[in-house]
Amino acid sequence: MATGSVSPKRGKVVNIPDQTVTIGTATDGGTGTSAFVAFTVGSVTTGGPVNYFTATSTPGSFTGNASTSPITVSGLTTGTAYTFKVKAGNATGFSTAGESAASNSLTPILPTSFESIATLTGTGTETSLTFSSIPSTYKHLQIRFSARSTRTNSSPGSENLNIQFNGDTGANYSLHSMRTDGAGQVFAAGSGSTSQINVNNGVIASGSSNTLVYSAGIVDIHDYSLSTKNKTLSAFGGYEFNTSGRVALSSGLRVNTAAITSITLQADGQQFASGSVFSLYGIKGE
Amino acid sequence: MPLTYEPVATTTLSTAASSITFSSIPSTYTDLRIVFTGTGTTSVGIKARFNNDSGTNYSYVEMLGNGGGAFSGRQGDLGYFALDTQFNLSTTIPTIRTLDVFSYAGSNYKTTLVHQSNNLNTSGNIIAMAHLWRSTSAINQISLLVFSSTIAAGSTATLYGIKNA
């Protein structure tokens, strides 16, 4: 005969569990109107079995059910902050242990085609910065940066921003660029079989003066995860010191069809100054 | 919590105006982007200012191509961002100005990359610029403006916020 509490339904003996639930982390459900609610469970000492777990939102009392973690709660309002509690139950009712504590606050947001992947910052000691374990789930990548080097033996000066993919230091890159310092001439350059892509041709600001000036740039890497294409990039960058400056456009190529999983950034052997920021974004396709 | 890339505000002029201003810009993004497309009521140059600063704290370097050659130029100590160095607004065909403002809420000087696309079928150019605003203040206002004329009705400017991880 089953043990445990007795159902109010006449003539029927049922078991209500005493399952405790520990709340985990609530995360965005990826639709703009849903959330994933994680949890863990303790042991059942009386009653049982537990057939499902229910998460309930505050505000709104939106619910979701699942037999294991996480629980998906739908019907939420985009932009509204919610917390969630979870409780165990079976056909008879909910656990005598009651609900878990409330989760973290979670505000559902609409999914976008342009997502932030990672950010790297200079501290004044790095001669290279690397984005690694880049997910293959986007169509294109974009790096946006604000940076300068620590070199002080020219004032003002600049370094090249060099890029390598997947740790490849072989002669597998080529580039073309055009740049100007504003003195009337536009210079063009091109190189093949290089060991890196020299993006933006001397576009990282440096020097002992004007230390408040940071270069800016946008690097677009196209179809980075396709295994049927060599990898191309385009870049636009520059800096201005009021008395001098540089602006440059570049295109680059890695002659290799492997998906890009890491991107290494270097400033011609110089160190990236504190405050330098490189942000990696993923751009989805249809 | 801001999205990674989202529109903050859009202004489409219903009547001609001497400026389009985005004010009370939140400091919660990493970079800003402004995309302007429009015309002038006269062939007038368009400029930009940050935080209504009219001091000589702006400078730029540029390179351009006009189909006949490639050229470059620079100016320092200006009282505005020059978005009209080689091409005024047309009175008939919209042209484009894109401004990318980096680390706009930080405490360094503010670097902006500008791209101009001007094509009137019989003339035009494409221009890439790097601008500097020599101020350590966070940017909370951006104005696109013309002097002694107006930006035509129908012109549009959109401010986007871009937030890193």
Side-chain angles (χ1 to χ4, degrees):
Chain A
M1 174 183 269
T3 59
S5 302
V6 177
S7 168
K9 294 183 177 178
R10 183 169 51 185
K12 196 167 188 176
V13 177
V14 295
N15 304 307
I16 298 177
D18 65 345
Q19 176 82 78
T20 58
V21 178
T22 302
I23 195 66
T25 303
T27 56
D28 195 293
T31 64
T33 57
S34 61
F36 298 131
V37 183
F39 61 93
T40 57
V41 300
S43 58
V44 177
T45 58
T46 61
V50 173
N51 301 125
Y52 61 90
F53 298 86
T54 297
T56 304
S57 74
T58 299
S61 298
F62 297 101
T63 60
N65 299 307
S67 57
T68 58
S69 175
I71 301 169
T72 301
V73 180
S74 302
L76 309 176
T77 299
T78 305
T80 297
Y82 296 92
T83 60
F84 303 87
K85 293 182 178 179
V86 178
K87 56 188 175 183
N90 61 20
T92 300
F94 290 109
S95 168
T96 55
E99 289 183 316
S100 70
S103 72
N104 55 289
S105 178
L106 184 281
T107 302
I109 61 172
L110 289 173
T112 64
S113 300
F114 191 99
E115 297 182 345
S116 177
I117 298 174
T119 298
L120 299 172
T121 56
T123 64
T125 62
E126 305 86 0
T127 57
S128 69
L129 294 169
T130 298
F131 291 107
S132 57
S133 302
I134 298 172
S136 62
T137 49
Y138 301 98
K139 184 166 179 60
H140 309 304
L141 299 174
Q142 183 175 97
I143 298 172
R144 302 177 65 90
F145 67 84
S146 173
R148 65 178 288 119
S149 82
T150 58
R151 185 163 65 95
T152 58
N153 63 347
S154 67
S155 185
S158 67
E159 331 293 351
N160 297 319
L161 175 63
N162 299 315
I163 293 182
Q164 292 171 326
F165 297 140
N166 295 1
D168 179 8
T169 59
N172 300 313
Y173 303 90
S174 66
L175 68 104
H176 287 82
S177 68
M178 52 189 299
R179 65 169 175 84
T180 187
D181 297 333
Q185 279 185 291
V186 177
F187 299 96
S191 300
S193 299
T194 60
S195 62
Q196 57 203 2
I197 300 175
N198 175 348
V199 172
N200 290 156
N201 207 301
V203 80
I204 299 295
S206 66
S208 58
S209 63
N210 289 303
T211 56
L212 295 174
V213 173
Y214 280 64
S215 303
I218 303 172
V219 180
D220 285 296
I221 304 165
H222 310 279
D223 290 325
Y224 74 102
S225 64
L226 283 185
S227 60
T228 55
K229 292 185 178 182
N230 292 324
K231 303 305 179 281
T232 58
L233 70 78
S234 57
F236 173 26
Y239 61 85
E240 237 300 300
F241 284 118
N242 189 41
T243 55
S244 65
R246 177 165 295 181
V247 64
L249 298 169
S250 301
S251 69
L253 174 71
R254 180 188 182 216
V255 185
N256 188 297
T257 58
I260 293 173
T261 58
S262 73
I263 302 171
T264 299
L265 308 160
Q266 300 169 330
D268 265 351
Q270 302 299 321
Q271 296 160 329
F272 289 110
S274 176
S276 297
V277 177
F278 293 85
S279 303
L280 178 65
Y281 300 89
I283 302 170
K284 296 180 180 177
E286 284 292 321
Chain B
M1 184 177 71
L3 296 177
T4 299
Y5 193 125
E6 63 178 350
V8 177
T10 297
T11 296
T12 300
L13 294 178
S14 55
T15 57
S18 60
S19 66
I20 295 175
T21 295
F22 298 106
S23 56
S24 302
I25 298 172
S27 62
T28 48
Y29 301 101
T30 305
D31 303 329
L32 299 174
R33 164 170 275 209
I34 296 169
V35 180
F36 167 85
T37 177
T39 57
T41 52
T42 64
S43 177
V44 64
I46 187 167
K47 305 161 193 328
R49 281 181 174 150
F50 292 158
N51 293 7
N52 203 33
D53 179 13
S54 59
T56 55
N57 300 314
Y58 305 85
S59 61
Y60 72 87
V61 59
E62 66 172 359
M63 65 180 175
L64 68 107
N66 61 9
F71 307 91
S72 74
R74 60 164 298 99
Q75 273 193 285
D77 296 321
L78 294 172
Y80 45 78
F81 273 148
L83 306 178
D84 56 352
T85 52
Q86 306 291 337
F87 217 83
N88 288 339
L89 295 179
S90 164
T91 58
T92 55
I93 298 177
T95 55
I96 300 171
R97 308 288 187 273
T98 302
L99 290 74
D100 278 282
V101 188
F102 292 78
S103 298
Y104 72 102
S107 57
N108 294 313
Y109 288 168
K110 307 304 183 289
T111 299
T112 298
L113 298 180
V114 174
H115 180 258
Q116 298 186 41
S117 294
N118 304 298
N119 195 316
L120 302 187
N121 190 37
T122 56
S123 65
N125 58 35
I126 183 164
I127 305 176
M129 312 175 82
H131 281 260
L132 181 72
W133 180 47
R134 298 191 311 283
S135 172
T136 57
S137 298
I139 295 171
N140 53 54
Q141 179 178 299
I142 299 175
S143 299
L144 302 174
L145 61 156
V146 298
F147 298 149
S148 303
S149 184
T150 49
I151 304 170
S155 299
T156 297
T158 299
L159 172 68
Y160 297 91
I162 301 171
K163 180 76 176 77
N164 66 8

